[in-house]
Amino acid sequence: MKKRISILGSTGSIGRQALEVIEKLNDKFEIIALTAGNNTELLNCQISKFKPKYAYAADINAIKGALPLSLEEICSNKENDIILVAVSGKIGLKPTLTAIENGINIALANKETLVMAGDIVMKKAKENGVKIIPVDSEHCAIHQCIKDISQVDKLIITASGGPFLRKSIDDMKNATVEETLAHPRWHMGRKITVDSATLMNKGLEVIEAHHLFGMDYNSIEVVVHPQSIVHSAIEYVDGSVIAQLGLPSMHIPIQYAITYPERYNGIKSKSFSFSEIARLDFEKPDMHKFKALELAYNAGKQGGSSTVCLNAANEEAVFAFLNGKIKLFDIINTVETMMEKHKVVQSPNIDEIFDIDNEVRTKSRELFLQLR
Ligand code: NDP
Ligand code: MG
């Protein structure tokens, strides 16, 4: 039987690659819904090619060839076996919760969902018997390595180091948007590419891993691995380390997540050759240059609403940087200032999470005016 799937964010980097995977495996999937934000032109091309029943875009009147539904309506539609959440930013949280409440499995690319509300999301998933299968390559790697989480001592998350790994702090201070978006290994959406340059992405991934695998922050380590061949590893209690390797391609983790627990020869990158790769390097991250990582660990360890604050301040600051309003280092300064001011609410509910999110965004924007 075909797996019935919807893709939230089908016009984005992950969404487009997911459709390439599905095109290769077209006898395995039936597409229920595709959704876009502003790129209705691409959405309509996808609709005419993949023939989903439903679609969503910011301008619903511009949708051609599918019945327009809201994200919430798509996520409460039990025709879905699985929903790939590949929108970027906070917009992913509510639809993900709706899908979970309706017992629909999730392939989760949108890490902000777990950073904002990981405790609630994981609890609801358990209550509803829903699987959250990670798409993020590091978490997909860990998911593939783990047999029994109770025997795992440590998660080792790899980081490519981004475009500024070998640059000085001064170079980073004066970095343009173009330099920041020039990631050496991965072609991704703009928000996550900026996060990868500051290493905030790795910080968000540490928080994501904490929720997905229930590991304490002291048992999650980040190591810089510029070649991006080892996608992450776990260390068992007996000292055995299991890592997942592969050429850098998001097709593989996307395909793994949406076909899990099966594996197919769909989009396979060229065969892996240790001798061609020749060497793998690892080093400790420079926590002074990449302070975002430290801020994310601190937020995670504080728990409660701290990670909501971290995420909101970061997301607003990244947009401000991309729009030329602040400098690259102001992103981290903004997050640090907002974290210092934040009064932590323990176990916030969803309404409180969105209130805190809005408040931090407003205060961050006020701060940008002072920075100009
Ligand atoms: P993109 O920016 O490329 O795509 C984002 C998608 O979300 C687009 O389809 C966009 O629509 C849609 N979208 C944005 N805002 C809204 C909105 N308000 N309402 C509805 N839809 C909206 O992002 P990526 O694909 O790079 O990333 C998606 C998520 O996956 C992020 O959370 C990221 O952290 C995560 N991720 C991405 C990886 C990657 O390799 N790209 C790797 C690991 C995780 P439109 O373009 O039509 O406006
Ligand atoms: Mg990742």
Side-chain angles (χ1 to χ4, degrees):
M1 220 170 75
K2 287 189 176 186
K3 207 179 222 181
R4 296 165 305 171
I5 188 169
S6 290
I7 302 175
L8 308 189
S10 63
T11 49
S13 158
I14 293 284
R16 290 190 310 262
Q17 293 179 82
L19 285 174
E20 286 162 12
V21 168
I22 290 172
E23 197 177 357
K24 280 270 177 189
L25 298 173
N26 66 355
D27 56 331
K28 310 280 182 224
F29 289 99
E30 177 188 342
I31 299 184
I32 302 296
L34 296 177
T35 86
N38 294 319
N39 195 348
T40 328
E41 198 182 327
L42 176 58
L43 178 73
N44 284 335
C45 292
Q46 294 176 341
I47 293 172
S48 71
K49 185 165 178 186
F50 292 96
K51 314 262 183 289
K53 276 190 184 171
Y54 313 106
Y56 168 81
D59 178 4
I60 52 163
N61 296 320
I63 295 172
K64 293 199 181 80
L67 203 65
L69 288 185
S70 69
L71 292 180
E72 300 289 313
E73 286 168 326
I74 288 169
C75 289
S76 52
N77 185 331
K78 296 196 176 169
E79 287 173 85
N80 289 295
D81 296 314
I82 188 164
I83 294 183
L84 170 60
V85 182
V87 290
S88 63
K90 76 165 182 177
I91 192 80
L93 175 54
K94 275 202 173 146
T96 304
L97 281 172
T98 304
I100 293 172
E101 281 157 5
N102 284 281
I104 302 165
N105 288 332
I106 305 286
L108 189 65
N110 178 264
K111 61 194 83 183
E112 294 88 346
T113 285
L114 290 176
V115 175
M116 288 176 77
D119 289 335
I120 297 175
V121 169
M122 295 312 290
K123 186 166 172 268
K124 276 199 189 247
K126 202 171 171 196
E127 284 166 4
N128 288 282
V130 162
K131 289 194 190 76
I132 310 269
I133 308 147
V135 170
D136 216 343
S137 59
E138 297 77 3
H139 307 76
C140 173
I142 292 169
H143 192 259
Q144 294 185 60
C145 294
I146 288 178
K147 271 198 196 144
D148 178 357
I149 187 74
S150 70
Q151 295 178 335
V152 177
D153 238 6
K154 191 166 77 177
L155 307 181
I156 304 158
I157 298 181
T158 52
S160 72
F164 301 124
L165 181 62
R166 304 286 174 235
K167 302 273 190 213
S168 69
I169 290 194
D170 281 341
D171 286 339
M172 264 181 97
K173 280 188 178 150
N174 296 315
T176 62
V177 169
E178 201 185 0
E179 285 162 349
T180 306
L181 290 178
H183 196 281
R185 298 275 166 223
W186 302 98
H187 297 286
M188 308 174 284
R190 285 156 66 87
K191 188 309 179 146
I192 184 176
T193 306
V194 176
D195 286 346
S196 299
T198 60
L199 250 63
M200 179 58 88
N201 181 50
K202 218 38 64 177
L204 301 179
E205 289 182 357
V206 167
I207 299 167
E208 185 185 7
H210 161 81
H211 289 295
L212 280 170
F213 305 110
M215 289 295 276
D216 191 84
Y217 284 98
N218 293 324
S219 305
I220 306 175
E221 185 183 307
V222 170
V223 63
V224 172
H225 167 47
Q227 292 95 346
S228 299
I229 296 293
V230 176
H231 297 308
S232 278
I234 61 173
E235 184 178 332
Y236 278 103
V237 286
D238 60 2
S240 238
V241 175
I242 314 273
Q244 187 259 338
L245 283 71
L247 297 172
S249 156
M250 279 312 292
H251 285 121
I252 296 172
I254 293 169
Q255 180 173 295
Y256 172 86
I258 63 175
T259 62
Y260 179 82
E262 310 299 332
R263 283 185 191 265
Y264 298 109
N265 177 5
I267 290 200
K268 188 177 166 193
S269 53
K270 69 178 182 130
S271 197
F272 190 84
S273 161
F274 273 102
S275 52
E276 260 179 46
I277 287 160
R279 60 180 283 180
L280 300 171
D281 297 302
F282 301 94
E283 59 194 82
K284 274 198 167 165
D286 179 342
M287 297 292 244
H288 176 60
K289 191 161 94 180
F290 297 112
K291 204 170 179 192
L293 193 51
E294 191 187 358
L295 292 172
Y297 265 105
N298 290 346
K301 286 177 186 172
Q302 270 174 10
S305 60
S306 297
T307 57
V308 181
C309 173
L310 176 95
N311 184 64
N314 180 60
E315 204 170 302
E316 278 304 311
V318 169
F319 292 147
F321 169 69
L322 285 170
N323 291 326
K325 291 187 180 148
I326 62 172
K327 294 194 160 215
L328 183 67
F329 258 47
D330 291 333
I331 298 175
I332 306 312
N333 295 337
T334 301
V335 175
E336 192 172 20
T337 307
M338 290 301 135
M339 296 287 299
E340 279 165 9
K341 286 186 181 166
H342 183 61
K343 290 199 182 63
V344 182
V345 178
Q346 289 302 335
S347 310
N349 63 32
I350 284 295
D351 291 339
E352 287 169 325
I353 286 174
F354 279 107
D355 286 348
I356 293 165
D357 177 89
N358 280 333
E359 194 186 314
V360 173
R361 283 170 197 268
T362 306
K363 285 189 183 149
S364 301
R365 287 194 292 267
E366 285 165 12
L367 189 67
F368 304 151
L369 295 175
Q370 292 166 26
L371 291 171
R372 293 178 108 178

